Amino acid sequence: NIPINIVFEDEHLLVINKKPNFVVHPSPGHNSGTLVNAILYHCKGNLSGIGGIKRPGIVHRLDKETSGLMLVAKTEIAHIGLSDMFKNHKIERNYKLLVWNVPNSSGSIDQPIGRSKFNRKKMAINPNGKRAITHWTLLKVFSNIVSFVSCKLETGRTHQIRVHMNAIGHSLIGDKIYGYFPRKSQKYRVFEQEIISKCRNFSRQALHSNSLSFQHPVTKKFMQFNIDLPNDMKNLIESIK
């Protein structure tokens, strides 16, 4: 009986606003206390079983630290329909994120992503990987050190935004796997040092799924959802303005 923030629900699907640091499905080390456990309790065990016993209803996932909108199928017809829509890139997903440095005002990254050759737990740009496309737009700049960015996913590979933004030199604030910090050797003014310090202390990757739109797989009605930034990202932005 774990509280979940349900944005929309009908007999076929759920749209959830996932809180940060919430594991989606059971895995070694996380057998309970996951989003799947919470959804199974909420749905009284009646959930599409296509994903298997550990991933019922899960048609896509967000990383543990990533917050925001996520779709869950409740019935098999919805699960099949949503999975097909994800596969054919018919579900539009937009994310808000904070990155180091300042990217161009907009752009696209079309680079395949696969397992890293050097660390199997990491993903990387890999010529033998699956095609991955990310479009970004620059929203705001903080002292030429940190940028607020919007990303639209055309594909949905594991860690796609994190890998792609890191590949062009703009890793996410708080990303412990793909991130990096500004060079200490560079001389920064006092207020710049304060910005860097606050961002270095941010406890998770600053990534939020803020928008989701799709055609309902059963009713065929167009669905669109938008959700505000969580408080931790709002507070960080306020503190570095």
Side-chain angles (χ1 to χ4, degrees):
N1 185 14
I2 304 166
I4 46 177
N5 185 347
I6 297 171
V7 178
F8 172 83
E9 180 176 16
D10 66 9
E11 62 182 301
H12 295 289
L13 58 85
L14 285 162
V15 178
I16 291 167
N17 179 17
K18 181 178 107 50
K19 62 185 179 183
N21 299 310
F22 195 5
V23 176
V24 170
H25 49 71
S27 61
H30 293 286
N31 289 321
S32 62
T34 72
L35 181 61
V36 163
N37 297 121
I39 294 167
L40 281 169
Y41 183 90
H42 172 77
C43 296
K44 299 177 174 59
N46 298 318
L47 205 62
S48 163
I50 294 176
I53 193 166
K54 290 188 176 181
R55 301 190 185 193
I58 303 300
V59 289
H60 73 123
R61 61 184 286 271
L62 297 178
D63 296 333
K64 174 187 173 183
E65 294 185 5
T66 302
S67 57
L69 294 169
M70 186 175 158
L71 262 170
V72 178
K74 290 173 66 177
T75 61
E76 291 200 11
I77 189 171
H79 199 137
I80 292 167
L82 290 171
S83 296
D84 187 60
M85 288 157 69
F86 272 110
K87 183 179 178 181
N88 293 297
H89 318 307
K90 291 182 178 178
I91 295 179
E92 186 171 304
R93 288 169 290 164
N94 291 281
Y95 291 73
K96 296 281 179 66
L97 48 147
L98 286 160
V99 300
W100 293 109
N101 307 318
V102 185
N104 294 333
S105 59
S106 63
S108 299
I109 309 162
D110 185 347
Q111 293 280 2
I113 291 176
R115 289 282 168 194
S116 167
K117 297 175 183 176
F118 307 103
N119 183 346
R120 298 298 294 172
K121 292 183 179 180
K122 291 176 68 173
M123 306 302 287
I125 302 296
N126 186 333
N128 299 318
K130 294 181 179 179
R131 190 178 188 194
I133 304 170
T134 305
H135 308 284
W136 86 84
T137 302
L138 179 63
L139 301 176
K140 193 173 181 64
V141 177
F142 303 96
S143 302
N144 288 328
I145 295 172
V146 174
S147 297
F148 188 41
V149 173
S150 173
C151 277
K152 178 182 175 182
L153 289 182
E154 194 166 317
T155 56
R157 308 303 174 209
T158 302
H159 300 172
Q160 180 172 318
I161 290 175
R162 299 164 65 191
V163 171
H164 271 173
M165 295 308 291
N166 181 57
I168 62 169
H170 303 288
S171 71
L172 272 67
I173 300 298
D175 193 331
K176 302 172 189 69
I177 297 177
Y178 303 100
Y180 56 83
F181 299 130
R183 291 191 299 274
K184 288 186 177 180
S185 59
Q186 188 170 333
K187 293 189 183 301
Y188 292 101
R189 289 170 286 182
V190 174
F191 75 90
E192 292 172 330
Q193 291 173 3
E194 288 177 1
I195 289 173
I196 291 168
S197 176
K198 286 171 181 174
C199 290
R200 284 172 68 110
N201 290 329
F202 194 65
S203 64
R204 67 175 179 102
Q205 64 220 18
L207 181 60
H208 176 70
S209 170
N210 71 289
S211 173
L212 191 65
S213 55
F214 58 97
Q215 185 182 52
H216 193 291
V218 181
T219 67
K220 305 305 178 185
K221 181 182 177 182
F222 179 72
M223 316 287 288
Q224 185 168 25
F225 302 93
N226 295 282
I227 206 82
D228 203 6
L229 288 175
N231 287 334
D232 61 350
M233 285 182 68
K234 276 185 184 176
N235 292 340
L236 178 60
I237 288 170
E238 277 298 316
S239 73
I240 64 174
K241 274 183 178 179

